[in-house]
Amino acid sequence: MTYGSWAAGGAISEPELVVSGGGTVPAEPAPGTRRRPGRSLGPLLVGAVAASAVWGAGLYAFGAQGPDLRGYRVSDRLCSLLTMPNLATVLDRGSRWESTESAHPAVDTADCSGQLERKEGSARAATLTASVVLHKSVSPAEEFDAARATAAERIPGRADVRTVTGLGDRAYTVVHGRTAEVHVLDGDAEFALVVTVERTGGRVTPARLRPLVAGDVDTLMRRLDAGTR
């Protein structure tokens, strides 16, 4: 894993982290053009109908082909599968952990939450949440891209948003306040890992945790894909 340059507060810097074996995040689409005053509505209405037909056909094709879940499955013991080899270099795993799982025709989900402790003692140092969402009805790609593009605007205060390459189809990390998080989309499977430290300053900071959460979500994805459940 390699590091890129730091971004200004609220900005997006590409690339940020490179995870071995991966590709690049697609460029964001250019903004749409604005309709000029006085233009006839006829062609626009025809275009809207055509676009609706294409969109409907796309949804139908998605349903016919089925979701692209890349072999992932949710697990009711997600916490056990979250081995955290990177976070373990600076924090210890606490004793309180809980996994949940849910199934629905539209989405399957798995969640894990727990506590991380300081290396030098048993005091709680951070909280962690992990989630896996398998989208089986509608592709999450557009919403994922929108969430990434607006992350710096939606999060109060200074938010440092960066792209990660080599992790799923597309991924990004966010550092804000006392929190470091990573979000990944791989096919129609979505992953998130969020760590919030008890207080800022000291040896373990959100900025230091940024590459660690990216590395650990990569490990979790490999375990879920390998069938170790």
Side-chain angles (χ1 to χ4, degrees):
M1 183 178 295
T2 59
Y3 302 82
S5 58
W6 283 100
I12 298 176
S13 174
E14 302 185 29
E16 174 239 334
L17 300 173
V18 180
V19 180
S20 59
T24 59
V25 176
E28 297 180 4
T33 56
R34 180 178 300 175
R35 181 170 60 89
R36 290 173 295 180
R39 183 177 175 181
S40 171
L41 291 178
L44 292 179
L45 293 176
V46 173
V49 172
S52 298
V54 171
W55 175 242
L59 288 179
Y60 177 80
F62 180 84
Q65 297 172 4
D68 181 10
L69 300 180
R70 306 288 170 90
Y72 296 115
R73 296 180 186 177
V74 297
S75 171
D76 61 357
R77 55 188 187 96
L78 185 63
C79 290
S80 298
L81 297 174
L82 186 63
T83 55
M84 300 182 297
N86 296 280
L87 285 169
T89 62
V90 295
L91 295 168
D92 286 334
R93 193 183 187 105
S95 58
R96 299 181 59 183
W97 291 82
E98 182 178 1
S99 298
T100 60
E101 178 190 14
S102 67
H104 186 275
V107 293
D108 289 340
T109 63
D111 296 277
C112 166
S113 61
Q115 297 180 359
L116 300 172
E117 299 177 348
R118 293 182 177 87
K119 287 284 186 182
E120 60 273 15
S122 59
R124 186 174 70 179
T127 58
L128 177 148
T129 59
S131 66
V132 181
V133 181
L134 305 183
H135 299 265
K136 301 184 295 182
S137 178
V138 178
S139 173
E142 288 192 11
E143 289 189 4
F144 184 90
D145 289 343
R148 172 192 171 278
T150 60
E153 302 170 13
R154 292 182 290 107
I155 299 173
R158 180 186 176 91
D160 189 358
V161 186
R162 302 186 186 183
T163 296
V164 182
T165 59
L167 187 56
D169 289 337
R170 61 196 81 178
Y172 65 95
T173 61
V174 185
V175 167
H176 58 99
R178 296 183 291 115
T179 300
E181 54 188 84
V182 59
H183 300 270
V184 184
L185 185 66
D186 196 20
D188 294 311
E190 192 170 359
F191 304 83
L193 182 58
V194 180
V195 177
T196 301
V197 297
E198 286 296 294
R199 58 184 179 182
T200 56
R203 190 168 62 93
V204 180
T205 64
R208 184 177 183 186
L209 294 178
R210 182 202 296 266
L212 306 185
V213 295
D216 283 348
V217 80
D218 180 51
T219 300
L220 176 62
M221 291 167 64
R222 294 176 188 276
R223 297 202 71 189
L224 289 172
D225 189 31
T228 307
R229 304 177 178 92

